[in-house]
Amino acid sequence: MTLVAGIDSSTQSCKVTVRELATGREVRHGKARHPLRTILPPETWWEALLTAVQRVGGLDDVAAISVSGQQHTPIFLDAAGMVVCDSPLWNDTSSHAHMVALNAELGREEWILRTGLPLTLSDTATKLRWLRDTGPEATRRTAAVAVVHDWLTWRLKGYGPGPGSAGSGGLDELTTDRSEASGTAYWSGETNDYCPDLFEHALGKSAILPRILGPLDRSGVTGSGIPGIPAGIPIGVGSGDNAAAALALDITDGEAVMSLGTSGVVYTRSSVPVHDLSGYVCSYADATGHHLPLVATLNAARNFDAGAGLLGCTYAELSELALQARPGADGLTLLPFFEGERTPDLPHARGSLHDASLANFTRVNFARAVIEGTVASQVAMLEALAACGLRVDRLLLIGGAAASVAVQTVLTQMVDAPVVIPELDEYVTKGAAMQAASALTGAFPTWSVAFEQLPRRPLERQIGQQHKAAMVALGYD
């Protein structure tokens, strides 16, 4: 039995799954947590990868490997391949002022027309400007910039510090894929290549960037001396986390994915790049050679942590309480911008509760408002895709919060497209494992996915109307 391994180095943790090449069936998995801070030393991600590999029982029986991970987060390397400084994660909001400056200097529409991205505080280019303005010495030492998946792949090839290292330097061996390059805000969907002038404008200097590989290319082979990982096995090109999940789900035109995890993400597939001058849709690339128009929020499943914590209940109890309330929670409305927000661009906003009265301020209505406010923010992203002419004939609901019956119920009360839930799986690691398989065989495997269709429900339009009214009341609309 031939086995392949997929790795997901996400915001919160590193997960490793080992799967059968023939069927995609998971054989075993391992996981290691990442610290919750938003500025971290990159070695954190490498150590978590090695820990997850150890917890999966090692990969000595695996024939190929590939890495997916959080997008945007940069790693700054010097000429010897050593890390220059700690890395600001994509969700670190301290780069907002630097995003404002870049938009002011070149014009917001210029970034959208050149890269397909309405420049946000999450994008790699914004983090470059952050480094230029806050760390001039680190900027001077920076000889190359990679994102997390690029750097971990490079480490698997034996470069960087530590046992089995291929030695200093090796920056020319940094590789990436289209999906990761597209999240930097210095890559063009029209040319499928970097925009060096945008990179230099953000950082104030040039630097080596990872070579962009095709969907079925190999990044290389694993180096020697890496604990738990055999030397000489093929390494797939890897991808960003959403591109990996889209690959595993095999989405087609007219299908959209709503992922409710740390962040909320909605994306679909397109044969051409999208340029949304309204500033909501980001035109990323996928893992197959197409494009992945995407909208994201900073606030999603963690809203339920806050709601359950305040009510002193479990997630299941939060869902049960919410379902006891009427749609619209008798007017009680939550705008769940607890961590600021990316879509809409409200980095300094905070969560707010609207139209509370002695009559409607109850446990069940509050639980319902938490669910409805979170889902309404995600449905607004579907509306942004529709405004770009991207139809949604079927919606796939994934992520940790997808199991909530209250989330499922509210979502089907807010959208008129069929909603389906794929069978429980780790779709990012599964997509990465498919890329590992392609590095071995030269083609993506055909691994089936089972879906459960949720019951259709009458639309409850007041949920969305209340959400929009609260946005207007605070001047956010």
Side-chain angles (χ1 to χ4, degrees), residues 85-109:
C85 61
D86 290 354
S87 292
L89 273 67
W90 65 273
N91 60 346
D92 181 73
T93 59
S94 61
S95 55
H96 180 259
H98 311 282
M99 176 269 289
V100 171
L102 287 171
N103 274 321
E105 290 161 7
L106 294 185
R108 179 172 172 272
E109 289 191 1

Side-chain angles (χ1 to χ4, degrees), residues 71-72 90 115-124 177-189 192 240-243 265-275 280-287 289-296 342-343 385:
Q71 287 195 265
H72 312 299
W90 65 273
T115 70
L117 302 188
L119 192 66
T120 72
L121 60 84
S122 298
D123 299 322
T124 317
D177 82 308
R178 293 170 65 254
S179 72
E180 290 284 37
S182 69
T184 61
Y186 42 84
W187 179 87
S188 166
N192 281 303
D241 48 6
N242 294 305
V265 178
V266 175
Y267 54 83
T268 188
R269 196 181 83 154
S270 173
S271 58
V272 296
V274 173
H275 300 277
Y280 290 105
V281 178
C282 300
S283 187
Y284 298 131
D286 75 355
H290 291 86
H291 297 270
L292 201 70
L294 179 150
V295 196
R342 167 176 169 171
T343 306
L385 291 176

Side-chain angles (χ1 to χ4, degrees), residues 333-358:
T333 305
L334 176 71
L335 294 183
F337 304 145
F338 296 107
E339 298 290 334
E341 194 44 85
R342 167 176 169 171
T343 306
D345 179 27
L346 299 168
H348 304 300
R350 290 296 179 263
S352 55
L353 196 63
H354 296 253
D355 290 332
S357 68
L358 291 176

